[in-house]
Amino acid sequence: MSNYVPLRRNRRNEACKYCGRTNAVVCYEECKRMKPSDFKFFTGVTQDQFGIIYELCGGGEVCSVLKYRYSKKTPTRPIVSDFTARDRLFMTLIRLRRGIPMKDLSFVCGVSLGFASECVYTWIRVMSLTAQKLESAMCVSAVDRQENKPKCFKPFPNLRMIIDSTEFKVEQPGNFEQQAHSIPFHGVWYLMVTNIPDRVKIC
């Protein structure tokens, strides 16, 4: 399981010296002290990038009053819990980056399966709505692009961006179980390049 989540303690009943929780083997407060490369391996982002995502999503003021169950009312006061909002975002990023099954994820994070699912769904929704707010800045309209558009793009007045893609093969692990959890689909990486008149973006 250590290939999917950053296990820092061997037993669930061993208290974390940073957050004090005894029902989990992984927490954000402990894992944020990892090397940036290790933290990024499990979450897809570094500690600094994690902080930026958290603040973009509203920081403590917003993230501490998120509603995790549709049938309940939105909290009017910050939720006080040893499983903090950062822990919940951390768990979500591990799920997105490593693809660990929810049952395993809930166990190592010390929460119920149902609550883990609600947390992951809620945070994905929050990040999606946050990204939508940035869409206008990331995808500028064709009209706004006219001023700085290079000469080669001038004949195309409605052009916003040129999208291209490519693919290349990568090695796959010999172990069949590891192959099933590897990100490349059938040993192929797909790369999308977006050419906007004054910049190039690789996805």
Side-chain angles (χ1 to χ4, degrees), residues 37-114:
S37 58
D38 292 337
F39 191 90
K40 187 174 183 179
F41 174 80
F42 290 108
T43 64
V45 297
T46 64
Q47 290 91 328
D48 291 338
Q49 293 168 340
F50 179 94
I52 292 173
I53 294 174
Y54 183 78
E55 292 301 325
L56 279 175
C57 291
E61 183 178 352
V62 173
C63 299
S64 60
V65 292
L66 290 176
K67 181 175 70 171
Y68 291 94
R69 187 167 297 176
Y70 184 78
S71 59
K72 292 186 176 181
K73 295 182 179 179
T74 302
T76 57
R77 297 179 181 179
I79 299 174
V80 179
S81 172
D82 55 2
F83 190 58
T84 65
R86 285 184 173 85
D87 282 316
R88 300 172 191 195
L89 174 58
F90 182 64
M91 178 178 68
T92 302
L93 293 178
I94 291 177
R95 167 68 173 172
L96 294 174
R97 175 66 179 87
R98 304 303 303 164
I100 178 175
M102 289 303 305
K103 189 172 183 179
D104 293 345
L105 189 63
S106 64
F107 176 81
V108 297
C109 291
V111 295
S112 68
L113 176 59

Side-chain angles (χ1 to χ4, degrees), residues 189-201:
W189 274 102
Y190 297 93
L191 188 69
M192 184 176 72
V193 180
T194 303
N195 187 343
I196 302 174
D198 57 355
R199 74 185 77 170
V200 175
K201 184 176 182 181

Side-chain angles (χ1 to χ4, degrees), residues 5 43 60 146 172 176:
V5 293
T43 64
Q146 295 299 325
Q172 281 189 303
F176 289 107

Side-chain angles (χ1 to χ4, degrees), residues 178-189:
Q178 292 179 352
Q179 287 181 13
H181 295 285
S182 60
I183 293 179
F185 184 68
H186 295 308
V188 178
W189 274 102

Side-chain angles (χ1 to χ4, degrees), residues 94-157:
I94 291 177
R95 167 68 173 172
L96 294 174
R97 175 66 179 87
R98 304 303 303 164
I100 178 175
M102 289 303 305
K103 189 172 183 179
D104 293 345
L105 189 63
S106 64
F107 176 81
V108 297
C109 291
V111 295
S112 68
L113 176 59
F115 184 66
S117 299
E118 291 169 352
C119 284
V120 170
Y121 172 82
T122 300
W123 273 98
I124 290 176
R125 180 65 175 161
V126 169
M127 289 189 287
S128 175
L129 293 174
T130 301
Q132 288 179 19
K133 296 177 183 178
L134 304 175
E135 184 177 359
S136 59
M138 296 173 64
C139 299
V140 182
S141 66
V143 176
D144 294 332
R145 286 289 177 197
Q146 295 299 325
E147 183 178 354
N148 298 322
K149 184 180 292 186
K151 290 183 179 180
C152 59
F153 292 116
K154 292 292 185 181
F156 310 98

